[in-house]
Amino acid sequence: MLVLAIDTSAVASAALLKSHGDAGRAEVLESFSSAETNTHAEVLAPAIEGILAQAGVAGADIDRIVVGVGPGPFTGLRVGIATARTLGFAWGVPVDGVASLDAVAWDAASDPAGAPGGDFTVATDARRRELYWARYAPDGGLLDGPHVSAAESLPSGPVYGRGAGLYAERLAAVGATAVEAFAGRQPHAASLGASALARLARGRELLPTTPLYLRESDAKVPAAMKPRGLAP
């Protein structure tokens, strides 16, 4: 089965994966990740076209699309989810959602050198001096979340992801320890896709493609522009 994975919860990333058997083992054929957090709309579609061309794969060959549904900022998530839905419609293939934090949890649980020995937290930058975070079991299974809050609200224990690197001192004050090797790790489509395939192999369902914003948009309609009711 060929799977196209997309995530734009932080940086823009895409990956083409091939699953092998019922065990959910995934081979990453091609992948892309941007270095910026504000160029999703410009780079994503050309990147997908590029990785398919490099792999010699056409859209009609794709069996499934999985897309990160956040949490993340409004604009970034819209780009990834809209792209996934459009390609799914055009190619006639199913599109499923995956929590973006699951990608980092998959990386942590799969790391032979530093896999968590117990429950752990994944945290990414939510801006406004806050973090998006969720709690996971040692095998990467979701236990709680996702949430958005100040660093001081996170539970104690190891914290993986870029959010941990941003607020290591604030986390340490409440007994949460930033895992240094993962302090800059962002969700990536390759890990998202691998996580999704493993979940499907275990007979578990994926998510709908509804974005997990967790808080209201910064964009507000000015009061003067809001429609007024008709006079009686």
Side-chain angles (χ1 to χ4, degrees), residues 22-50:
D22 297 331
R25 185 169 62 88
E27 175 188 0
V28 179
L29 302 180
E30 299 288 346
S31 67
F32 162 84
S33 180
S34 71
E36 306 294 334
T37 59
N38 59 354
T39 59
H40 301 34
E42 293 84 354
V43 303
L44 185 60
I48 293 172
E49 183 179 13

Side-chain angles (χ1 to χ4, degrees), residues 17-169:
L17 301 95
K18 183 177 182 179
S19 65
H20 294 275
D22 297 331
R25 185 169 62 88
E27 175 188 0
V28 179
L29 302 180
E30 299 288 346
S31 67
F32 162 84
S33 180
S34 71
E36 306 294 334
T37 59
N38 59 354
T39 59
H40 301 34
E42 293 84 354
V43 303
L44 185 60
I48 293 172
E49 183 179 13
I51 64 175
L52 293 183
Q54 290 166 16
V57 170
D61 300 322
I62 301 297
D63 298 299
R64 195 180 206 114
I65 299 172
V66 294
V67 60
V69 294
F74 280 68
T75 302
L77 288 185
R78 283 194 186 107
V79 171
I81 293 172
T83 300
R85 288 174 176 172
T86 300
L87 293 177
F89 177 79
W91 297 340
V93 299
V95 183
D96 296 290
V98 181
S100 298
L101 296 175
D102 287 4
V104 180
W106 172 264
D107 290 340
S110 304
D111 182 12
D119 297 347
F120 65 98
T121 301
V122 171
T124 58
D125 184 16
R127 304 174 187 174
R128 305 184 191 174
R129 296 180 59 80
E130 291 184 326
L131 297 173
Y132 295 123
W133 63 274
R135 191 75 171 159
Y136 292 87
D139 65 354
L142 180 66
L143 297 175
D144 180 42
H147 305 283
V148 59
S149 70
E152 290 79 6
S153 298
L154 269 67
S156 61
V159 185
Y160 292 73
R162 175 168 166 72
L166 289 175
Y167 300 114
E169 292 184 2

